[in-house]
Amino acid sequence: MLSRSVARRVLGSRVFLSQKCGLSSQAAQREKVIRSREMNENEPRPLYMDFQATTPMDPRVLDAMLPYQVNYYGNPHSRTHAYGWESESAVELARKQVADLIGADPREIIFTSGATESNNISIKGVGRFYKTKKKHVITTQTEHKCVLDSCRALEAEGFHITYLPVKSNGLVDLQQLEESFRPDTSLVSIMTVNNEIGVIQPIKEIGHLCQSRKIFFHTDAAQAAGKIPLDVNDMKIDLMSISGHKIYGPKGVGAVYVRRRPRVRLEPLQSGGGQERGLRSGTVPTPLAVGLGAACEIARQEMKYDEHRVSMLSKRLIDKIMAGLPDVIMNGDPEKRYSGCINLSFAYVEGESLLMALKDVALSSGSACTSASLEPSYVLRAIGTDEDLAHSSIRFGIGRFTTEEEVDYTAEKCILQVKRLREMSPLWEMVQEGIDLKSIKWTQH
Amino acid sequence: VLRKSMGLTLTIRTVSNIPNLSNWARLKHCRHLQHSTSGARCQTACRSLHTSAGLCHSDEEGAERERGKDVVNVVYVDRSGRRIPVKGRVGDNVLYLAHKHGIELEGACEASLACSTCHVYVSDRHHDKLPEPDEREDDMLDMAPLLQENSRLGCQIILTPELEGMELTLPKITRNFYVDGHTPKPH
């Protein structure tokens, strides 16, 4: 039997305490597994280059939120005392801050638990409200999983959904969109900035097109809000989803913009006491809403500076990698994109192996919500990428807090590892010898 | 006193709607109605002082002719599905018309656009003939449960001749839904 001090050092004090507290051995096992996967305390943390998955919270946002966690903790719907009134005024201020970011009226903003919920509310809500006369919804093949899943749920309820294909640069074809309109179309849902390849869709043109046909236009602006200038009236947007943790705000909060003139009606998903205009019942989480508001305000003020800086860093990264390596393809339109999201395919190198080789840089191949599956990204398939290139793609995310040193380090490491992996690759050898890989007939063993 | 006198005016109006009654019989009926006022509510139809007592004094024949032009037939479908045809007049408020005829259309805020309890479904044919809802009406409608495309607030619908034959269906629940079957008395 080990002595207590030795056991503590070996297993970590947490595990020892759990034994001391008499927790089951299963809990102790779980602790051990978690701690073995966590990094060593002495190892430096990886560079964060995955700003599309989530963003660190801006310290100014945290400053804004803290008082509402511990001091001003009232329920904003309590009408009868000062705790409620001060929470309510904080929530209303946050609402105004979110509205100002997108050019909306504060009464048109509804707080939700995130962009996924906002997308669900928009698509299912509008679809079901107008279902007696209109049963057709149009979306694209490159949408976020929650949009596609909501559409699938509507299909199960008897709707017809058109999943528009995209051009090879990732943008939707306006002609095709117009042709897919039907007299019974109620909603078009097209995201503003794609989370995997970073392309910016022609939202203004789509909005005007939809308005001319009296069809509601929803856009998932989770990756776009606070990063590119948006105006719901200029772009004729009827519904928009915003996510808190993509704009340096807290996780677990988002917003949906629902136009009031002309009125967009929704069937609410969440029933309850009628908060948030009856569209999303439930106590509004004051600290999270305040955080989202503060994040939106900061984003609005610093948008120009951030955009300039991020595009400078992005250019730096792309130029360095493209200069250092042959056969690197950027997925998505090179012009109409958000510069902070770069999706590169390194030919003849497997994406997952490159990620593991770049162990001290936090990157992803494809979006976070699909990273667990073995299939390559459906977005890359939709833009017509070859399957082998789709497996070799890496997404670099640059944000407000990325430094030039991080970008330089990432580029250099990437070049090094790709070269190393290509040395090991038989496909690369064959290409060097001049063999056309497409002409090879692979046999089964 | 004002209220009582207006109540009386309304009672007289209700009575005067009944055709083929001599004036004397009408007055008797008036008194009878006043006693039973506690059941069927006599409402102040509108906020401004208006004297419709002229109806009482006018010639019977003339009154009938006028009444014929003014009448708008609407049908209320209450929560149990029962159809109640009602003869309204041009300028009548749908909410108060319902109260006059004992239909359970709750108007919690008394037509001041502050609630959604008088929410009704308008028949499709007549829905487009109604004027566009005010922004405040839309706001209140947003909070009504079981909203549909043909939903409107009853207290904002004023009868016009082209709404002849309109069907107003009451939704199954309002914001003040009581799961024990309680229905609040109209104010």
Side-chain angles (χ1 to χ4, degrees), chain A residues 107 129-130 132-133 260-261 263 265 273-274 277-278, chain B residues 124 135 137-139 141-143 147-149 151 175:
Chain A
R107 290 172 297 181
F129 188 85
Y130 295 99
T132 44
K133 300 204 186 104
R260 273 162 61 91
R261 297 190 135 206
R263 184 83 36 157
R265 286 252 138 83
R277 268 169 68 188
Chain B
D124 289 329
E135 205 175 317
E137 184 186 340
D138 260 334
D139 279 345
L141 267 177
D142 271 346
M143 301 211 278
L147 207 62
Q148 283 177 14
E149 274 186 86
S151 291
R175 270 296 285 279

Side-chain angles (χ1 to χ4, degrees), chain A residues 243-390:
Chain A
S243 173
H245 71 115
K246 303 279 169 27
I247 49 172
Y248 314 95
K251 293 181 180 56
V253 71
V256 59
Y257 158 78
V258 183
R259 183 176 277 280
R260 273 162 61 91
R261 297 190 135 206
R263 184 83 36 157
V264 177
R265 286 252 138 83
L266 300 174
E267 202 185 86
L269 282 183
Q270 199 151 307
S271 314
Q275 286 84 8
E276 299 294 284
R277 268 169 68 188
L279 299 176
R280 203 272 183 186
S281 298
T283 304
V284 172
T286 316
L288 293 178
V290 164
L292 177 61
C296 287
E297 168 119 19
I298 294 169
R300 184 174 61 90
Q301 287 167 349
E302 304 194 348
M303 199 188 301
K304 223 165 161 196
Y305 176 79
D306 279 346
E307 197 265 318
H308 189 78
R309 193 155 177 285
V310 165
S311 43
M312 187 262 290
L313 287 173
S314 162
K315 190 168 184 307
R316 197 183 174 111
L317 179 70
I318 296 173
D319 287 347
K320 267 202 138 127
I321 292 182
M322 296 281 196
L325 290 171
D327 295 313
V328 177
I329 297 125
M330 181 153 78
N331 297 310
D333 193 285
E335 304 293 310
K336 298 198 187 65
R337 57 181 8 260
Y338 170 60
S339 43
C341 176
I342 307 153
N343 193 308
L344 299 174
S345 284
F346 300 94
Y348 321 115
V349 168
E350 217 262 326
E352 297 290 335
S353 59
L354 181 57
L355 281 183
M356 290 208 291
L358 291 170
K359 219 176 146 191
D360 42 4
V361 183
L363 292 166
S364 87
S365 65
S367 75
C369 49
T370 55
S371 57
S373 82
L374 293 173
E375 279 283 312
S377 149
Y378 59 86
V379 174
L380 292 177
R381 200 172 51 238
I383 63 172
T385 322
D386 285 332
E387 208 187 313
D388 49 345
L389 278 179

Side-chain angles (χ1 to χ4, degrees), chain A residues 1-277:
Chain A
M1 196 56 202
L2 295 167
S3 76
R4 261 194 203 175
S5 54
V6 176
R8 187 180 285 148
R9 250 180 281 136
V10 168
L11 295 170
S13 51
R14 223 192 277 169
V15 175
F16 180 79
L17 272 171
S18 72
Q19 285 178 334
K20 205 173 165 202
C21 298
L23 284 174
S24 69
S25 60
Q26 276 182 348
Q29 272 290 90
R30 272 202 294 274
E31 280 280 2
K32 230 166 51 178
V33 168
I34 291 171
R35 287 186 81 76
S36 68
R37 264 204 250 155
E38 270 174 16
M39 300 168 315
N40 197 331
E41 276 159 18
N42 298 323
E43 218 178 281
R45 289 174 69 82
L47 301 179
Y48 191 72
M49 295 286 289
D50 198 14
F51 278 77
Q52 274 66 45
T54 187
T55 55
M57 204 156 77
D58 194 307
R60 294 168 283 187
V61 170
L62 184 63
D63 280 348
M65 284 171 66
L66 268 179
Y68 294 94
Q69 300 274 29
V70 284
N71 283 332
Y72 309 125
Y73 46 77
N75 185 323
H77 313 292
S78 297
R79 281 268 143 92
T80 55
H81 49 68
Y83 288 97
W85 304 328
E86 70 200 359
S87 290
E88 189 181 12
S89 61
V91 167
E92 293 310 309
L93 175 65
R95 210 186 289 275
K96 178 141 191 10
Q97 289 169 323
V98 176
D100 285 343
L101 180 66
I102 56 174
D105 187 274
R107 290 172 297 181
E108 296 171 314
I109 302 291
I110 293 179
F111 288 112
T112 61
S113 68
T116 298
E117 187 184 344
S118 303
N119 284 335
N120 269 265
I121 288 174
S122 307
I123 296 172
K124 290 181 184 161
V126 170
R128 287 175 186 160
F129 188 85
Y130 295 99
K131 70 169 178 265
T132 44
K133 300 204 186 104
K134 298 194 171 182
K135 284 207 130 178
H136 182 231
V137 173
I138 300 172
T139 184
T140 65
Q141 290 176 357
T142 53
E143 291 296 308
H144 191 267
K145 252 306 173 52
C146 57
V147 170
L148 296 178
D149 214 37
S150 302
C151 289
R152 257 207 295 269
L154 284 183
E155 263 188 303
E157 291 174 18
F159 281 74
H160 297 271
I161 315 283
T162 299
Y163 299 96
L164 283 177
V166 293
K167 300 187 280 204
S168 60
N169 62 356
L171 298 174
V172 77
D173 187 339
L174 291 168
Q175 184 73 13
Q176 235 182 357
L177 173 64
E178 196 166 358
E179 282 164 17
S180 61
F181 284 161
R182 282 170 23 180
D184 67 338
T185 305
S186 57
L187 181 70
V188 168
S189 175
I190 295 179
M191 71 198 316
T192 314
V193 170
N194 189 287
N195 55 326
E196 290 194 36
I197 53 181
V199 292
I200 303 177
Q201 300 287 355
I203 294 296
K204 192 162 172 182
E205 287 80 12
I206 299 173
H208 279 84
L209 194 59
C210 290
Q211 202 208 30
S212 65
R213 304 288 201 95
K214 299 267 196 299
I215 295 172
F216 292 124
F217 176 41
H218 163 251
T219 183
D220 177 2
Q223 297 285 353
K227 296 181 180 145
I228 59 171
L230 292 172
D231 187 320
V232 291
N233 292 314
D234 190 42
M235 298 171 167
K236 304 274 184 259
I237 296 171
D238 294 306
L239 295 138
M240 184 195 275
S241 308
I242 297 168
S243 173
H245 71 115
K246 303 279 169 27
I247 49 172
Y248 314 95
K251 293 181 180 56
V253 71
V256 59
Y257 158 78
V258 183
R259 183 176 277 280
R260 273 162 61 91
R261 297 190 135 206
R263 184 83 36 157
V264 177
R265 286 252 138 83
L266 300 174
E267 202 185 86
L269 282 183
Q270 199 151 307
S271 314
Q275 286 84 8
E276 299 294 284
R277 268 169 68 188

